[in-house]
Amino acid sequence: MALLGFQQALSELVISPEFCFQVLTSPEQALRVYNLTTLEYQRLVFLAQLPGLGIGRMLHRSFRLSMLVNILPKTCILLNFHNLNQVVEVYWQTQPSRNFYYEQEAVRFGQFLLAQLEQGKLQNEFLEEILRFELCVLFLTKLIPEQVASNNSLKIEVLKDSFPDLNPQYRIVFFRHEPNSLLTTLSKDQIPEPGLQGEYYLLLTMSSTNQLQSKLIGSRMGEVLLACNGQRSVLELCTQLSLTLEDLEILARRGFLHFHHRVS
């Protein structure tokens, strides 16, 4: 439909200064991917010339930033210490907005930050664990899929060639700093002081009243649950983590794991 193409092009015009410049300088090339009528084409070329479009873009960016701050507040507190605006500007330049679903935007921003940390372009003692925590909270509160059909009643011998995955009703986060103290400090809009590092595993889930629940669990259980990410088979996990089939069967019966087979 031509109207859909016009709406998509108009959104891109407001969101992307690069696209706006392309429409100004090479309108035929910039707009040829959209199904437009002649009148719609002319309107878009006209709109690209309006000074007021820059104000709309500024408002969009401001709203986009505010949504990131609302969805990932503790992450943004830590980033503000390292110039939040500068980090976000690099993100916007490399990852232009694709839609107005801000939960998806937060996930993309989180993936961008994790890549920056892995590449050494961003350094912060607390950022990775806080970011992973807030992405897990986002998953549980906004993005969690419907309840997975349970296969926990099946004997583990039948599932030994399957791939264990954490039940989506749970998330597990590894911390290098004591999580309760760290989260409390950030909740007060304060930057935590560098401190002794350790190994902590925080298990997250939602209560029956839709309240976030968190619980510190033992290092061994945390290590196993974190490793059950659907990428390794039962036999691989047992070999790498010195587990028995019964260990995974117990976790499955407690509702922490489900299993799937890969389609060859």
Side-chain angles (χ1 to χ4, degrees):
M1 294 176 61
L3 180 58
L4 178 60
F6 177 78
Q7 292 172 338
Q8 291 172 335
L10 181 59
S11 296
E12 188 72 12
L13 203 61
V14 173
I15 290 170
S16 171
E18 294 78 14
F19 180 71
C20 184
F21 180 76
Q22 292 172 5
V23 174
L24 282 172
T25 56
S26 304
E28 290 186 6
Q29 182 177 355
L31 296 172
R32 65 183 179 182
V33 297
Y34 300 99
N35 181 21
L36 301 171
T37 65
T38 301
L39 180 59
E40 289 170 342
Y41 174 88
Q42 293 172 347
R43 284 177 175 173
L44 288 168
V45 173
F46 173 75
L47 287 171
Q49 303 173 43
L50 294 178
L53 197 64
I55 298 175
R57 190 176 303 115
M58 180 184 66
L59 291 173
H60 167 73
R61 286 194 164 208
S62 176
F63 183 64
R64 192 179 174 191
L65 176 59
S66 69
M67 290 303 296
L68 288 177
V69 172
N70 288 335
I71 295 174
L72 303 173
K74 295 178 176 62
T75 295
C76 290
I77 289 172
L78 290 173
L79 285 174
N80 195 48
F81 185 65
H82 292 276
N83 196 333
L84 174 62
N85 289 330
Q86 182 178 352
V87 173
V88 169
E89 189 62 36
V90 173
Y91 166 67
W92 283 343
Q93 290 175 2
T94 58
Q95 308 246 0
S97 179
R98 296 173 184 169
N99 55 50
F100 291 95
Y101 295 101
Y102 289 97
E103 291 86 0
Q104 296 178 16
E105 168 100 300
V107 172
R108 290 176 59 222
F109 184 53
Q111 293 170 343
F112 165 80
L113 292 177
L114 290 173
Q116 293 283 297
L117 287 166
E118 184 177 347
Q119 297 165 14
K121 296 179 180 179
L122 191 61
Q123 296 182 351
N124 185 294
E125 180 179 342
F126 308 99
L127 183 58
E128 182 177 354
E129 54 205 278
I130 289 299
L131 174 58
R132 291 190 184 279
F133 167 79
E134 292 198 308
L135 288 176
C136 285
V137 172
L138 173 62
F139 176 86
L140 288 172
T141 56
K142 301 291 186 181
L143 305 176
I144 188 168
E146 294 181 2
Q147 179 69 46
V148 176
S150 175
N151 51 20
N152 300 339
S153 61
L154 297 177
K155 290 296 183 181
I156 197 69
E157 289 81 0
V158 178
L159 298 170
K160 63 183 180 180
D161 294 323
S162 65
F163 293 77
D165 206 349
L166 190 64
N167 186 325
Q169 306 297 319
Y170 295 95
R171 295 291 93 183
I172 182 83
V173 187
F174 173 71
F175 281 82
R176 294 185 179 87
H177 306 83
E178 204 288 317
N180 292 324
S181 175
L182 182 57
L183 294 169
T184 299
T185 299
L186 288 168
S187 295
K188 298 176 182 177
D189 294 338
Q190 298 174 356
I191 301 296
E193 295 289 337
L196 294 176
Q197 297 190 11
E199 293 186 358
Y200 306 89
Y201 292 87
L202 193 65
L203 184 68
L204 304 175
T205 190
M206 300 298 291
S207 71
S208 58
T209 57
N210 208 33
Q211 298 296 312
L212 181 70
Q213 294 182 323
S214 62
K215 177 183 178 181
L216 280 170
I217 60 175
S219 296
R220 180 57 172 166
M221 181 178 177
E223 180 186 22
V224 173
L225 291 181
L226 198 61
C228 293
N229 56 11
Q231 300 301 311
R232 287 177 281 189
S233 70
V234 166
L235 293 181
E236 288 174 318
L237 284 169
C238 287
T239 300
Q240 293 171 7
L241 298 179
S242 300
L243 297 168
T244 65
L245 296 177
E246 289 74 20
D247 292 331
L248 293 177
E249 183 178 21
I250 291 172
L251 291 174
R253 286 177 175 173
R254 292 177 62 184
F256 291 120
L257 301 179
H258 66 96
F259 301 84
H260 65 88
H261 290 273
R262 290 186 175 175
V263 180
S264 57

